Amino acid sequence: MRAKEEAERLDMNENGDPSIQAVIFDMDGVLIDSEPIYFEIERSSFDHFGAAVTQEEHHSFVGVTLESMWKQVIDKYQVKVPLEEILAYHQHNVMEKMFTHPELTAMPGVERWIKWLHEQRIPIAVASSSPRALIDLIMEKTGLGLYFEVRMTGEEVEHGKPAPDIFLVTAERIGISPAQCLVIEDSRNGVQAAKSAGMRCIGYHNPGSGDQNLSKADVQISSYDELWAMKDSLSFKSSTPDLSLTI
């Protein structure tokens, strides 16, 4: 009964059309439990550049681009090192850590969900604030790259999350109206971006993403098993985009 009630909350967009024709995934904390790794690297970078960022403040950066995060840190803590130098240092550490990390695996249950969406001919995309090189690396290491032809990064839009830009451009690339898109996000910034884009949103509670306020999401879940239980109650409608894959 709970699954049906949750599904009903996603069953109608602002235009009165219940159909969901595309699903857009955030990457970190949604497709892969990578946020704890980032937190560790970021804490090290904050210390390296002398920025005493609190844990609460650190959690507030989840979902934003590295450039946006470091601009805020530089301004607040009067870091004297140029932004470009900080970004180069930080991104090198992230790529090195991710490339050598032995346990980069997809979130439990997510691949079953993604395969089911392909069987229903529902296009999917990833829309992440992470840099393009990191998205491609994680897609390759987790094996999820097979499913995602459309990959959007915060580097490709003028305003990162919580602005809606990345989701609006993703919808355009898929060829589906924003009102027919469902977003899965694990951060307050990501949920805000999805709702500002006029999309329905599932808030994924991932403990590794910190204490995120997902109250603006239409539905909140803690596992893909919960989402799987409500799938047959959701109003998915197949479209025929050129990018669909046969799995």
Side-chain angles (χ1 to χ4, degrees), residues 167-206:
F167 290 126
L168 293 174
V169 175
T170 302
E172 183 178 356
R173 289 194 179 179
I174 298 174
I176 301 295
S177 164
Q180 262 63 58
C181 292
L182 172 64
V183 173
I184 305 178
E185 267 284 358
D186 71 315
S187 71
R188 176 183 60 84
N189 291 311
V191 170
Q192 178 61 60
K195 297 309 296 179
S196 295
M199 300 178 180
R200 282 164 281 185
C201 183
I202 291 175
Y204 188 104
H205 277 289
N206 184 343

Side-chain angles (χ1 to χ4, degrees), residues 66-127:
L66 283 176
E67 182 175 356
S68 175
M69 179 184 77
W70 277 108
K71 281 182 177 179
Q72 295 177 63
V73 171
I74 288 171
D75 182 61
K76 181 172 182 178
Y77 295 97
Q78 299 298 298
V79 179
K80 303 303 181 183
V81 181
L83 174 62
E84 293 75 14
E85 184 177 331
I86 291 176
L87 289 177
Y89 172 89
H90 186 88
Q91 290 177 345
H92 172 77
N93 287 346
V94 170
M95 292 298 293
E96 184 176 61
K97 182 78 171 182
M98 287 299 186
F99 186 78
T100 58
H101 200 284
E103 298 179 359
L104 287 184
T105 57
M107 294 291 289
V110 69
E111 192 164 2
R112 175 177 68 163
W113 170 245
I114 289 171
K115 285 182 177 179
W116 182 83
L117 290 172
H118 274 287
E119 290 170 2
Q120 308 307 308
R121 299 174 66 194
I122 302 296
I124 65 172
V126 59

